[in-house]
């Protein structure tokens, strides 16, 4: 058995699970804030195996899900313009916007919307459409922002005049700060995102333990990773010594990835940003710096964030904050299914509602 397979080993997982059942004698609620953790916990069956004292809550860890209604409305306004080609990752295509429209329906109506697998691919789209402006839809957390920043630098090096980025990137630590400051959200511990932490390290989460007394663990995505993190949380709660622990050292360095952060910091600057369900959070987004203004789609004439009402009946905001389980929404698996999604949490494969639907979790 190699080291990677060991993290899925059933015998090791059973042993850790038995330890957890013995040691977790005090009830607590933990939240994960990464879509990959959401899927892993459901797919592996861990959620149904956890001791009754431990409650799993899925948080705002899906980048498509936290994209605000106004941002989706902006995508659709851009798609309607004849002088624009949109380049986007595929998971944004079916996110519902005003009047039930999405980028897929806009594409069917004649909009130029190109699905790309990397931000760099959008440069080729721009080169192939010299008479139009190609706009890459920059959605995601710290994980994807460095690649987008590097693409903007590359566009400048190539003197590509018809390429822009619409930066609606989000930063995870400010969202966690907003969650723990909300007295209505009862979370006792966090499993922290592995991918984001590979970029920023563990230090930015320090306030969780230092200011709020909450244990938090950066961990990977295999069953053994998650069980080990829960044992670490349980031990910290029992000792009364909360901390932020990096248990994913095979990927996450203490200071993250300095090269990726340097590229991100060169191109972007923190700015207040809109989050679905959380509203405007200070310093939680990334704006394109003045030095790269020629590549900022928000500086184009006629481009702005329109007012957009919440999606009728959609409770994604409450799901993302952990105030409601997906299957407590009145629309879940009725009007809202993966085939006919009312909100983004049912669209993305990393969304909590989609996971509940796929794995048939019951109330």
């Amino acid at each position: 058995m190699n080291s990677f397979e060991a993290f899925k080993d059933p015998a090791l997982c059973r042993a850790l699970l038995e330890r957890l059942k013995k040691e977790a004698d005090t009830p607590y609620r933990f939240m994960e804030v990464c879509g990959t953790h959401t899927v892993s916990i459901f797919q592996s069956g861990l959620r149904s195996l956890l001791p009754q004292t431990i409650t799993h809550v899925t948080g705002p860890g899906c980048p498509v899900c936290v994209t605000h209604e106004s941002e989706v409305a902006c995508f659709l306004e851009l798609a309607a313009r004849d002088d624009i080609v949109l380049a986007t990752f595929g998971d944004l295509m079916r996110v519902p916007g005003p009047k039930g429209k999405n980028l897929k329906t806009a594409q069917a109506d004649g909009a130029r919307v190109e699905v790309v697998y990397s931000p760099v691919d959008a440069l080729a789209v721009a080169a192939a459409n010299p008479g139009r402006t190609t706009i890459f839809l920059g959605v995601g957390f710290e994980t994807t922002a460095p690649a987008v920043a590097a693409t903007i630098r590359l566009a400048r090096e190539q003197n590509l005049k018809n390429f822009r980025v619409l930066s609606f990137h989000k930063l995870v630590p400010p969202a966690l700060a907003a969650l723990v400051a909300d007295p209505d959200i009862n979370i006792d511990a966090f499993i922290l995102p592995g991918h984001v932490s590979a970029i920023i390290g563990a230090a930015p989460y320090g306030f969780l333990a230092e200011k709020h007394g909450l244990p938090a663990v950066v961990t990977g995505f295999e069953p053994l990773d998650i069980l080990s993190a829960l044992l670490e949380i349980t031990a910290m709660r029992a000792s009364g010594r909360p901390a932020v622990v990096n248990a994913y050292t095979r990927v996450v360095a203490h200071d993250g990835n300095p090269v990726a952060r340097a590229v991100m910091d060169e191109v972007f600057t923190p700015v207040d940003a809109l989050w679905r369900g959380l509203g405007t959070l200070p310093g939680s987004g990334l704006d394109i710096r003045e030095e790269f203004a020629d590549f900022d789609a928000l500086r184009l004439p006629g481009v702005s964030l329109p007012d957009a009402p919440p999606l009728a009946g959609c409770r994604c905001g409450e799901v993302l904050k952990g105030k409601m389980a997906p299957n407590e929404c009145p629309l879940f698996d009725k009007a809202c299914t993966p085939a006919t999604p009312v909100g983004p949490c049912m669209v993305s494969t990393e969304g909590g509602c989609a996971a509940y639907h796929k794995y048939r979790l019951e109330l």
Side-chain angles (χ1 to χ4, degrees):
M1 180 187 300
N2 61 39
S3 58
F4 179 76
E5 290 173 340
F7 284 91
K8 298 181 179 180
D9 182 62
L12 288 174
C13 289
R14 279 195 294 270
L16 288 190
L17 189 58
E18 288 306 312
R19 271 190 59 193
L20 190 60
K21 289 178 178 178
K22 291 177 182 178
E23 296 178 16
D25 51 5
T26 303
Y28 69 86
R29 286 161 50 91
F30 80 92
M31 175 182 279
E32 40 77 11
V33 283
C34 172
T36 309
H37 277 139
T38 302
V39 172
S40 180
I41 289 171
F42 293 158
Q43 187 178 58
S44 66
L46 284 180
R47 197 175 193 281
S48 62
L49 297 173
L50 292 176
Q52 292 186 352
T53 51
I54 299 178
T55 301
H56 164 230
V57 179
T58 185
C62 161
V64 168
C65 303
V66 301
T67 300
H68 195 268
E69 293 91 339
S70 293
E71 295 170 339
V72 179
C74 183
F75 302 159
L76 294 173
E77 286 189 357
L78 288 170
R81 289 177 50 166
D82 291 334
D83 60 335
I84 298 292
V85 178
L86 294 184
T88 180
F89 295 139
D91 53 1
L92 273 181
M93 292 295 289
R94 296 178 62 241
V95 175
K99 300 179 180 179
K101 299 291 186 179
N102 58 38
L103 289 175
K104 194 72 175 175
T105 60
Q107 189 182 53
D109 290 338
R112 289 292 307 277
V113 184
E114 302 286 343
V115 174
V116 295
Y117 296 94
S118 162
V120 176
D121 294 342
L123 299 183
V125 175
N129 294 273
R132 298 182 177 186
T133 299
T134 293
I135 297 178
F136 177 75
L137 303 182
V139 169
F141 298 127
E142 294 92 336
T143 314
T144 55
V148 178
T151 301
I152 292 174
R153 286 204 320 184
L154 188 58
R156 186 170 68 173
E157 291 170 11
Q158 295 179 359
N159 197 29
L160 201 56
K161 300 293 189 181
N162 67 325
F163 174 75
R164 302 262 178 158
V165 169
L166 189 63
S167 179
F168 290 149
H169 295 94
K170 305 289 192 289
L171 303 177
V172 170
L176 299 183
L179 287 172
V180 297
D182 188 335
D184 295 330
I185 298 175
N186 181 26
I187 300 298
D188 303 304
F190 285 92
I191 284 184
L192 298 170
H195 296 140
V196 167
S197 302
I199 304 298
I200 67 173
Y205 309 113
F207 68 92
L208 292 171
E210 295 161 8
K211 183 178 179 180
H212 299 283
L214 298 175
V217 180
V218 177
T219 195
F221 306 100
E222 303 300 337
L224 203 69
D225 287 315
I226 295 163
L227 288 169
S228 297
L230 291 175
L231 278 168
E232 190 78 52
I233 288 170
T234 300
M236 285 191 280
R237 284 176 52 80
S239 68
R241 293 193 294 270
V244 174
V245 175
N246 179 13
Y248 199 25
T249 54
R250 66 186 189 274
V251 172
V252 177
H254 177 71
D255 59 348
N257 186 327
V259 175
R261 288 204 320 277
V263 173
M264 188 166 65
D265 292 343
E266 178 188 355
V267 175
F268 294 121
T269 185
V271 67
D272 297 352
L274 286 167
W275 292 61
R276 189 183 299 267
L278 298 175
T280 301
L281 301 184
S284 67
L286 291 175
D287 199 8
I288 296 174
R289 291 185 182 275
E290 187 66 33
E291 303 92 293
F292 295 90
D294 289 345
F295 302 96
D296 187 353
L298 281 173
R299 300 181 192 230
L300 286 172
V303 179
S304 63
L305 274 179
D307 290 331
L311 298 172
C314 178
R315 309 292 287 274
C316 277
E318 291 168 80
V319 170
L320 291 168
K321 289 188 289 187
K323 290 186 174 182
M324 170 184 283
N327 52 9
E328 292 174 331
C329 174
L331 303 185
F332 178 80
D333 254 3
K334 299 180 180 71
C336 186
T337 70
T340 57
V342 175
C345 296
M346 189 63 90
V347 173
S348 174
T349 56
E350 295 187 341
C353 296
Y356 267 64
H357 172 88
K358 183 173 182 178
Y359 297 104
R360 300 293 177 184
L361 296 182
E362 303 295 338
L363 281 171

